[in-house]
Amino acid sequence: MNTTDEAEIQEAYQLIADAVKNGVYQGKVMDEVFQKMEGGNAAIATYYAGDYLSMLENNEDPPM
């Protein structure tokens, strides 16, 4: 995080590009992420803390 090393930036880019290509990274905009998490179709996501609480409340099978 916060690197200025071009090789590290390229490595991080490639990891994300590969994840998208392999279907691991699926949500690119907030609504997509919200729907996948709320529906239990994704196990991990980057999202706002307050919205996480809403998704947790609306998920019939929340993680515990």
Side-chain angles (χ1 to χ4, degrees), residues 44-55:
I44 189 168
T46 303
Y47 218 81
Y48 299 108
D51 289 330
Y52 161 77
L53 297 173
S54 295
M55 288 184 274

Side-chain angles (χ1 to χ4, degrees), residues 9-25:
I9 293 169
Q10 288 298 321
E11 181 182 1
Y13 169 83
Q14 194 58 53
L15 286 170
I16 294 170
D18 289 346
V20 170
K21 180 177 141 188
N22 294 328
V24 174
Y25 181 79

Side-chain angles (χ1 to χ4, degrees), residues 1-6 8-9 12:
M1 181 166 56
N2 297 328
T3 186
T4 58
D5 182 303
E6 185 66 30
E8 289 179 345
I9 293 169

